[in-house]
Structures are given as structure tokens and as C-alpha cells.
Amino acid sequence: MVHISLTSLAFGVAIFSSALAFPTYEPLGLSERQLTEAASNKGGPGAKVPPPPPGPPSFTGTKLVDDAKHPWQPTRPGDIRGPCPGLNTLASHGYLPRDGVASPEQIIKAVQEGFNMESELARFTTYIAHLLDGNPITDLLSIGGKTPRTGPDPPRPAIVGGISNHGTFEGDGSMTRADAFFGDNSAFNPALFEEFKGFSNRFGGGFYNLTVAAELRFHRIQESIANNPQFSIVGFRHLTLYAEAAFPVTLFVDGRKTGAQAGHLDMRSAESFFKDMRFPKGFFRAAQPSGTDPSQEIFEAHPTVPGRNVAGVNTFTPDTSLGSFTDSCAFYTQFANKTIKGLYPNPTGVLRRNLNINLNFFYQSLGGGSESCPQVFPYGQN
Ligand code: HEM
């Protein structure tokens, strides 16, 4: 089970759960009205039965993705963008809805089509984000902040939660986004990008590669320990830190590059993705389905442990209580039974139905059906 590189990521898979004391429902993007209607089994305007995720595309080689059908366009007032340069780019090219609000189905299709992200990783990442931050009733997720309530009727029936929500998926120590403690945890941060370029010059001869990834990743953690009294990389964040450091190597480098050029991201392309949310001109996606494979290497260069500053800056204290190093089954089980159950303690009606459907899709993304890791049902089986 979980051959998405939870094997390669499995150095510190701790679990979100109780350390993240979420107030329930509203911050997730559910309005009171939706909850009432969900409980009555109607679901309210915009309620949807989540469709099954799309599988891998029929062609998985490299191809031009900065194509005529997907022209880059600047954001319009009201369009949402967030902390993920990959999803931002896909929205600005129309692989995702340009307003930045999408269903899991649309996200899974777009990351495979636009970047050649591995199919299981695409589903795994998307369902985690959707279960943590999305609106399970309307089956929509914002790629940035929570959407405003727009009134009683569609087009956007109510609030939709988003991935900028700090402490869920979004976390501290990002390469080009500030820690939430310092303010904007979602927008491109020019000063941090200068560090990104500085490290690429120092360790990569002007390119971002795995050596740079390892050094910058470690540096950003040390920097935050020294400056952010609330710094935390407990739980899932300890995993995503290393996954996200790998993506610029595996998914932002043009798929036609081979030999010494492969795995080396030039700074103009980096700026295009991180800052402009745009494919470099004439960009070809990765040559084969790709994702987090090198994250183990990035981690091993400077191993760290999950933990947080417990009493101000420079008080980093390891905290591995929320998971195990290599046990992906424990990760899945606790995510469903503790984290999601903690967010939604007593769902009823359509809400409960849709949570069950999404939890099932999440289980399937781990190579579901494995006898070694039985499926769990925090809300019962029907
Ligand atoms: C599959 C759906 C995806 C979801 C739900 C997702 C979600 C996120 C989130 C929540 C963050 C912020 C984490 C943080 O730094 O605090 C993030 C960061 C990041 N994502 Fe994505 N992502 C997805 C796909 C992608 C793809 C396809 C790429 C690359 C092509 C990508 C590249 C990155 C990078 C490089 C960062 C780190 C940004 C930084 O540290 O400054 N992501 N993503």
C-alpha cells in the first residue's frame, strides 16, 4: 500500500490531528445554512455527490502544455490564488477554473495534464487538501483563501474553504511564502525568493537542484526556529516540507531536458512559476509521471524531526507523538479516525455521506484494498 512515495516520504509521517485545535465547520467553508440543509438530507443549493477521481491520462509522456488552448491570463478581480505555485499556474492557464475554485476531480485531472504529476500522488494530495480545507457538500476547494459568501443562490452558493488555511495543509518554513506568524502565508514573498536565488547561486551554479533543495530546506527550518516563536512542523507538515522542496526539480524543469540539464531549474523559470504563476514560454511538462521521489535524498542531507517552538524562538522541541516514521498505514488510520473525525465530530445527512465518499477515495489513493491496512470508517459504512 501507499507506493506514492510515502515510502520515500516516510521519514517522519506524523499526523495532523489533535495539535491542530480547529474550531469545527465554519472555518472549513461550511455555512450554518449548509449544515442545516445537509442534516435534512437535501444538502442545499450546490450540493453534489462527489464523482470518482479521474485515473491516469492515456498519454503520460512529455508534451507542450503552454499551448494555444491554455493561454496565460492575468487574474481578474475576485480570482483566488494561494500558496501553491503549481495550482496557481494551472489556474492562470485555464487547466483549472480561472477563479481558483475547483472540485477534486478538476484538480486531479489538471495536475496530471499540466505537470504530469503521478496519478496516485495527485489523488492522495488532493483528497487530503479537500478533506482538510474544502467544502464537502458542494465538492469544491479554493486554491487560496476561503471564498466570500455570495448570497443564497449559485453561482457560488456559500463559502468554500481553501488551502491557505494555516495549520492544516499549509504550514511553516515554506520556500517562497512567509510563516503565518509574520502575516501573509499565501502570497509570493520577494525577500524569500531572493534567498531561493542566493542558495541556487551558492550551491547550484545558478540553478535549483537537489543540492540546493537540501540546503535551502534545512536553512528555512533553522531560520524559522530562530525567528518565529510559533514555528511548528509537527505532523503532516514535516512530510510536505520535503515533498514541496522536490517539486521544483521534478515538475518545474522542462521535460525535454536530459543529461546534465535534467533536474536543474533556471531562475527565470523559477520566477515564472513562483511569482508570475505562469509556464515558462513553450514549456513541456515532465517526461514521465513524477512527484516526490527525491524527497528522501533532500531529507537525508540534513535530517530533522517533527516538532515546534514551545516557548518562544529557539525552543524547538521534537514532537513525534502524532505518527510514526515509516508506518503509512498508521498515517491513514489516524488521519481518518482522529483528524477528520476531530474536524467533523458528528456529521449527518449529505455531509456525512460526502465525507464517507471522500474518505473512501482517499483510501483508494493509497493503493486501497490492501489486507495489510484495513479501511476504517469513522462514520460507519453507509
Ligand atoms: C495535487 C494537488 C496539490 C495540492 C492540494 C497542493 C497544495 C499545496 C499547498 C497547501 C501548499 C502550501 C504548503 C506550504 O508551503 O505551506 C503547496 C506548496 C507547494 N506546492 Fe502544491 N499542491 C498540489 C499540487 C502541486 C503541483 C502539481 C506542484 C508542482 C507542479 C506543486 C508545487 C508546490 C510547491 C513547489 C510548493 C512550495 C511553495 C513554497 O515553499 O514556497 N504543488 N501546495
Side-chain angles (χ1 to χ4, degrees), residues 103-124:
S103 66
E105 189 188 15
Q106 289 172 317
I107 295 174
I108 292 162
K109 188 158 180 256
V111 296
Q112 294 184 90
E113 192 59 27
F115 280 111
N116 217 356
M117 186 183 239
E118 283 163 359
S119 182
E120 286 188 350
L121 178 66
R123 286 185 281 141
F124 172 81

Side-chain angles (χ1 to χ4, degrees), residues 226-313:
N227 296 305
N228 176 358
Q230 294 172 7
F231 178 67
S232 172
I233 50 168
V234 172
F236 184 58
R237 183 60 184 149
H238 192 243
L239 185 155
T240 56
L241 277 173
Y242 293 95
E244 289 162 15
F247 288 153
V249 173
T250 55
L251 298 174
F252 285 168
V253 176
D254 192 289
R256 291 166 298 181
K257 289 194 173 175
T258 51
Q261 283 193 316
H264 288 63
L265 178 69
D266 66 85
M267 291 303 103
R268 272 184 68 178
S269 299
E271 187 164 329
S272 186
F273 286 115
F274 281 104
K275 173 166 162 279
D276 303 333
M277 308 181 265
R278 184 173 192 161
F279 288 128
K281 206 170 163 29
F283 183 74
F284 276 54
R285 70 180 190 188
Q288 61 276 318
S290 305
T292 57
D293 276 349
S295 56
Q296 179 76 29
E297 196 179 316
I298 297 171
F299 170 76
E300 280 171 1
H302 296 288
T304 63
V305 287
R308 62 198 168 90
N309 275 343
V310 290
V313 298

Side-chain angles (χ1 to χ4, degrees), residues 172-198:
D172 291 332
S174 307
M175 294 179 289
T176 67
R177 268 66 180 168
D179 291 0
F181 175 77
F182 299 113
D184 192 341
N185 64 333
S186 190
F188 175 78
N189 183 305
L192 288 177
F193 191 64
E194 285 306 309
E195 276 193 1
F196 182 100
K197 286 198 286 191

Side-chain angles (χ1 to χ4, degrees), residues 10-88:
F11 40 79
V13 181
I15 318 305
F16 320 65
S17 97
S18 55
L20 311 167
F22 304 103
T24 51
Y25 302 132
E26 177 87 13
L28 304 169
L30 294 177
S31 65
E32 224 175 287
R33 176 179 164 186
Q34 281 185 312
L35 285 172
T36 314
E37 282 167 334
S40 74
N41 267 324
K42 281 188 278 176
K48 239 187 125 180
V49 180
S58 50
F59 173 66
T60 57
T62 188
K63 67 171 182 178
L64 178 73
V65 287
D66 181 32
D67 61 9
K69 276 196 193 155
H70 301 93
W72 181 84
Q73 287 171 14
T75 49
R76 305 154 302 186
D79 286 350
I80 295 173
R81 298 292 182 267
C84 175
L87 297 181
N88 288 346

Side-chain angles (χ1 to χ4, degrees), residues 306-346:
R308 62 198 168 90
N309 275 343
V310 290
V313 298
N314 292 318
T315 59
F316 186 82
T317 306
D319 179 355
T320 52
S321 65
L322 300 178
S324 74
F325 257 24
T326 52
D327 194 345
S328 53
C329 185
F331 165 73
Y332 156 71
T333 307
Q334 296 204 44
F335 178 77
N337 278 345
K338 287 196 179 164
T339 308
I340 299 306
K341 186 92 165 105
L343 289 173
Y344 298 97
N346 295 301

Side-chain angles (χ1 to χ4, degrees), residues 207-224:
F207 293 86
Y208 182 94
N209 59 19
L210 286 184
T211 310
V212 179
E215 297 305 321
L216 180 62
R217 171 42 54 239
F218 188 62
H219 166 77
R220 288 287 299 127
I221 293 171
Q222 302 311 309
E223 197 170 46
S224 281

